[in-house]
Amino acid sequence: MPTMSDKELLLRELSNIAKALGETFAPYCEVIVSDLTSPEHVVVQIENSMSGREVGDPASLIGLARMTDPTFPGVMTNFADAFRDGRP
């Protein structure tokens, strides 16, 4: 039986957490699992898609900041943002 890499195991468990959060807070919360090792294809899973983002999409501005700035906060809460179509 093949073994999973650490990355595969981590993404599998994050996928389970994303699904649980998505089901718990549906329909009011979009949950995205991102793999920040590939800026061109960051999005690996979406639950309750509200933003129009899709699996395989590139990093957002916040994602890029997290990848390039080691002082960028790992957790951000209660910040204003908007979807691509301008909705808050």
Side-chain angles (χ1 to χ4, degrees):
M1 178 159 128
T3 61
M4 296 180 102
S5 70
D6 289 344
K7 180 179 174 179
E8 290 170 326
L9 181 59
L10 179 61
L11 288 174
R12 184 189 74 186
E13 293 308 307
L14 288 172
S15 175
N16 290 333
I17 293 167
K19 186 165 178 48
L21 288 171
E23 289 178 6
T24 300
F25 295 107
Y28 305 106
C29 179
E30 177 179 81
V31 182
I32 297 179
V33 176
S34 300
D35 176 358
L36 299 180
T37 63
S38 175
E40 299 83 21
H41 307 286
V42 164
V43 179
V44 295
Q45 179 179 347
I46 299 178
E47 297 293 329
N48 301 327
S49 181
M50 297 164 47
S51 65
R53 295 187 76 196
E54 297 179 1
V55 170
D57 276 358
S60 65
L61 293 176
I62 291 173
L64 288 172
R66 289 202 59 211
M67 288 186 279
T68 59
D69 180 358
T71 65
F72 196 83
V75 175
M76 296 176 52
T77 59
N78 300 319
F79 64 95
D81 202 357
F83 291 120
R84 293 176 187 170
D85 64 5
R87 289 176 294 142

